[in-house]
């Protein structure tokens, strides 16, 4: 039935889910995962393979993890956590109260709405970060790079962390500062803008 929850585990096979509105727990060792999300929680994990999830702008909690593979999430809402060791992370659309995106090697892209009082936490070791915040933004914003430039469309200019090191830092408050945005990268530039 449509509202049922599902739990799927595979060793060497892809997982493709459609028309399920209940909770989803999807695990694959070697294979991609593709699903649609509604108002129920989603947990998807793969060792070697990509994760592609499309939401319906309904609040849920989503936890998406891959060791070697990209993660793409579109039109999700609520709370979302994307983690990868080697892979690109991309989050498009939706509206969130809590977002965490972390990868060791891979680019991170976000174009979404951060709700009032919402938290956005992004970390990468090797990879560029591009963030476009949609709609009104009200947050304390902190951006740090060890080796990479910072481009900020909000106005304030980044500063060098030290005249002896290649890092940059940026800290300012946009709007009333209800939420928080934290972005950190070791090797890679950061672009922060709003749509």
């Amino acid at each position: 039935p449509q509202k049922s929850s599902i739990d799927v585990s595979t060793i060497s096979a892809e997982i493709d889910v459609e028309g399920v509105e209940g909770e989803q727990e999807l695990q694959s060792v070697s294979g991609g995962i593709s699903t649609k999300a509604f108002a129920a929680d989603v947990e998807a994990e793969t060792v070697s393979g990509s994760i592609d999830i499309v939401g319906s702008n309904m609040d849920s909690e989503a936890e998406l993890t891959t060791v070697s593979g990209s993660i793409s999430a579109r039109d999700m809402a609520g709370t979302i956590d994307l983690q990868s060791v080697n892979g690109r992370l991309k989050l498009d659309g939706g509206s969130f109260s809590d977002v965490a995106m972390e990868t060791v090697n891979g680019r991170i892209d976000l174009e979404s709405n951060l709700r009032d009082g919402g938290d956005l936490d992004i970390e990468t070791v090797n990879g560029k970060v591009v963030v476009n915040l949609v709609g009104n933004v009200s947050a304390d914003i902190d951006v740090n790079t060890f080796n990479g430039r910072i481009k900020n469309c909000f106005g304030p200019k980044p500063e060098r962390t030290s005249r002896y090191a290649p890092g940059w830092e940026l800290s300012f408050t946009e709007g009333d500062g209800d939420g928080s945005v934290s972005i950190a990268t070791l090797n890679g530039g950061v672009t922060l803008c709003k749509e």
Side-chain angles (χ1 to χ4, degrees), residues 143-150 161 166-169 184-186 188-190:
V143 182
N144 290 278
T145 72
F146 179 78
N147 184 22
R149 301 296 299 264
I150 299 173
T161 55
W168 292 82
E169 61 185 359
T185 177
L186 193 61
V190 175

Side-chain angles (χ1 to χ4, degrees), residues 44-56:
E45 181 179 355
T46 178
V47 175
S48 178
S50 62
I51 297 175
D52 188 5
I53 181 168
V54 179
S56 53

Side-chain angles (χ1 to χ4, degrees), residues 7-80:
D7 186 341
V8 181
S9 297
T10 70
I11 299 297
S12 182
E14 295 186 356
I15 299 174
D16 191 355
V17 180
E18 289 188 16
V20 176
E21 296 185 10
E23 292 185 4
Q24 301 180 44
E25 187 170 339
L26 313 172
Q27 296 180 331
S28 176
V29 175
S30 179
I33 297 174
S34 177
T35 188
K36 294 182 180 178
F38 295 88
D41 296 349
V42 177
E43 182 178 337
E45 181 179 355
T46 178
V47 175
S48 178
S50 62
I51 297 175
D52 188 5
I53 181 168
V54 179
S56 53
N57 289 301
M58 297 179 181
D59 277 12
S60 66
E61 290 188 15
E63 186 174 340
L64 314 174
T65 307
T66 179
V67 175
S68 181
S70 62
I71 301 176
S72 174
R74 299 184 300 281
D75 298 330
M76 302 290 290
T79 299
I80 191 165

Side-chain angles (χ1 to χ4, degrees), residues 134-147:
V134 178
N136 295 327
V137 179
S138 179
D140 289 327
I141 298 175
D142 290 291
V143 182
N144 290 278
T145 72
F146 179 78
N147 184 22

Side-chain angles (χ1 to χ4, degrees), residues 9 65 76 92 100 110 122 137-138 156 159 161 167 170 181 194:
S9 297
T65 307
M76 302 290 290
D92 283 329
L110 178 144
I122 292 177
V137 179
S138 179
E159 299 179 353
T161 55
L170 174 68
V181 173
K194 64 178 178 178

